[in-house]
Structure formats: C-alpha cells, structure tokens
Amino acid sequence: MPGQTHVTDTAYHYDGTFAGFLCCIFESYARREIPADVCPPQQAQLTLYGVRDIATDAAHARRVAAGLGRLGPAVRDRIATGFLHSTVPGKDLALLRFARLAFARGPQAAQMLGDADAAEAFALERAVLGEAHHYIEFLRFEERGGMLGAVIHPKHCVLPLLRGHFCSRLPDEDFLIFDAVHGAALLRQDRRVQYLAMQRYEPAPDADEADWQALWKRFFRALTIEERRNARAQQTHLPRRFWPDMCEMQPDAPDPTPKHA
C-alpha cells in the first residue's frame, strides 16, 4: 500500500543529542519507515544492522519538538525524561516508536499501556522518576570542610532531577552530590549551580561529622524494635542497593580503645 510504514533492517546512527534524536523521528516519517534500531555513537559500532547516518538539523528538530509539545506534557515529558535520564539499552528505539504512536493516536497514547510501545516508554519514565524519588528520601549528606557532600550510585542519570528539591531544601548551604557511577557531580556554591565531570570524590575526614554520624546511628537503632524487625519489608521500602550510601546502614567500626579486665 503506498505510504504504508514498514520496519526496515537499517539502524539510524545519530550524534547522541536530544536534537539528533528528534531528527531520527523526523527521518522516520520522511522515509515512511521504522528503523530496526536507533544508535548513539557509543553503540553504532555494535549493531549488526546496516547503518544510516542521520544528520542533526535544527529546523527538523524544532518541528518535531513543536509537534510533541502539541501532544501535551504527558507525552512530551515521557519522551524527554526517558531520553535525557534513562540508561536502559534500546531506549532510543523505544521512544521513537512511542513518539510515532503518540503522533498517530494523540495525547491518549500516554495512557495506552496495553500497547507495547506505550508500556515500554512508561517503564523508562517510571524507573527514572522512581529512582530520583528514592534519592530525595535516602540521600545522606556529610559535612566536610564547610560544605555538605554526598555520594550516590544511581542506575540512571538523576542528578538534574535532584537539583530543584535540594536547592529548595537547603537554600543557604553549599553542597555537592557526586554520582560515582556516571562520573558527574551537582555542585551548588555561592548560590550558583553547575554540573561537573568528576571521577573521584574523597572528602577529608572530619571528627565532628563522625560524631554526628555516630549519634544518628544510635538514634536509628534506638527506634528499632528487634522483635518486630521485618527484613523483607525493609528491603521493599528501602532497596538494598541504596544501603552503601546511607551511614545508618553501615556497621560500626571496631572500637580501637583497649579493653581492660
């Protein structure tokens, strides 16, 4: 049938930017096809498909962005959140397919979770926002040299999603949140915010901070009712992968003081 969209055996190769991804959506419509894959530069060499290079064209990107905007925030934000923050392999193709569904079916595509493409895009967004919510709850700062610092190990790139909460929650504090997985940091200093590329963050020891952490651990354990401890429920509400970055979940260091009989 003339004009019918078909799935190709070609992968789109683009520059990895959001504008470049929007151009992949544009190209998909221009060619009346759905690619077999959509590959940023770091994945293009791994694909087994033939590769078509998609140039980033600002005018094409603006047209697609305007179209997504007309579909409403549920569709627009789902695509932006999934693309900018998720690290799930294959997200690029999943979001392109969801964008095509949304252009075909309208804003209600965001609620069509019985459709595989809509469900996959929803899962990407939910994973990112869920992880950001967990870090808003469970992130632990330490005071080091007049600045608050925290280390996190997220699956996704959630630092930008933490910015608004912590800047509002700590309006007069300088702080740094280091994402040890992705080598990035969110720094707020002198009321200015910036993102930094970092490989390591090792704040100097601070005796006062060690005392505060010891008090916090004592308080946490004082609230615990051993007879009612439910490890499975605890891990449901506080997944174990967050524990290494929480001081209250760390064992106490051995007491170096000699014990006298």
Side-chain angles (χ1 to χ4, degrees):
M1 180 182 298
Q4 184 177 18
T5 299
H6 65 285
V7 178
T8 73
D9 58 357
T10 300
Y12 287 1
H13 176 201
Y14 73 109
D15 63 4
T17 66
F18 189 51
F21 170 70
L22 296 179
C23 290
C24 290
I25 298 175
F26 183 94
E27 192 74 13
S28 173
Y29 273 95
R31 293 180 175 273
R32 296 186 176 89
E33 66 184 19
I34 296 177
D37 202 355
V38 181
C39 302
Q42 62 271 27
Q43 296 177 15
Q45 302 303 317
L46 303 177
T47 183
L48 299 178
Y49 299 105
V51 171
R52 176 175 292 124
D53 290 322
I54 306 299
T56 299
D57 183 299
H60 292 174
R62 285 194 298 268
R63 285 181 61 181
V64 176
L68 293 175
R70 289 191 291 271
L71 290 171
V75 170
R76 180 196 64 213
D77 294 350
R78 183 161 299 168
I79 291 173
T81 298
F83 181 86
L84 295 172
H85 303 292
S86 175
T87 58
V88 173
K91 68 175 185 181
D92 315 76
L93 178 60
L95 294 171
L96 181 145
R97 294 181 69 99
F98 173 63
R100 291 202 58 126
L101 174 70
F103 280 125
R105 302 299 293 273
Q108 66 268 28
Q111 282 74 50
M112 295 172 56
L113 301 186
D115 181 276
D117 295 328
E120 190 169 0
F122 173 73
L124 291 171
E125 180 187 45
R126 181 175 60 179
V128 168
L129 297 182
E131 183 169 60
H133 178 74
H134 274 116
Y135 275 113
I136 285 172
E137 291 189 89
F138 303 136
L139 186 145
R140 300 291 185 258
F141 284 106
E142 300 181 0
E143 185 168 4
R144 304 290 190 179
M147 175 179 284
L148 299 178
V151 178
I152 61 175
H153 293 80
K155 293 180 181 179
H156 304 289
C157 300
V158 298
L159 281 180
L161 302 178
L162 305 180
R163 172 178 176 168
H165 172 82
F166 287 108
C167 285
S168 297
R169 183 71 179 82
L170 304 167
D172 300 317
E173 299 283 354
D174 292 341
F175 64 83
L176 182 146
I177 304 173
F178 174 52
D179 177 346
V181 175
H182 303 102
L186 167 63
L187 172 66
R188 185 181 189 273
Q189 192 169 34
D190 299 326
R191 299 184 181 274
R192 296 179 57 193
V193 176
Q194 57 183 313
Y195 296 96
L196 307 174
M198 292 178 60
Q199 295 305 315
R200 301 179 69 183
Y201 172 61
E202 295 181 357
D206 186 297
D208 288 340
E209 175 62 28
D211 289 342
W212 281 112
Q213 289 193 23
L215 287 172
W216 175 245
K217 287 182 180 181
R218 287 174 60 189
F219 174 74
F220 177 76
R221 287 163 190 168
L223 293 180
T224 301
I225 303 173
E226 289 296 334
E227 293 77 10
R228 300 182 62 183
R229 183 188 292 272
N230 185 329
R232 179 174 295 181
Q234 183 182 44
Q235 292 181 41
T236 297
H237 297 288
L238 175 53
R240 184 176 285 273
R241 69 185 181 90
F242 294 97
W243 293 13
D245 298 326
M246 301 175 67
C247 67
E248 66 267 35
M249 305 305 289
Q250 306 309 307
D252 290 321
D255 187 349
T257 306
K259 299 296 188 293
H260 301 287

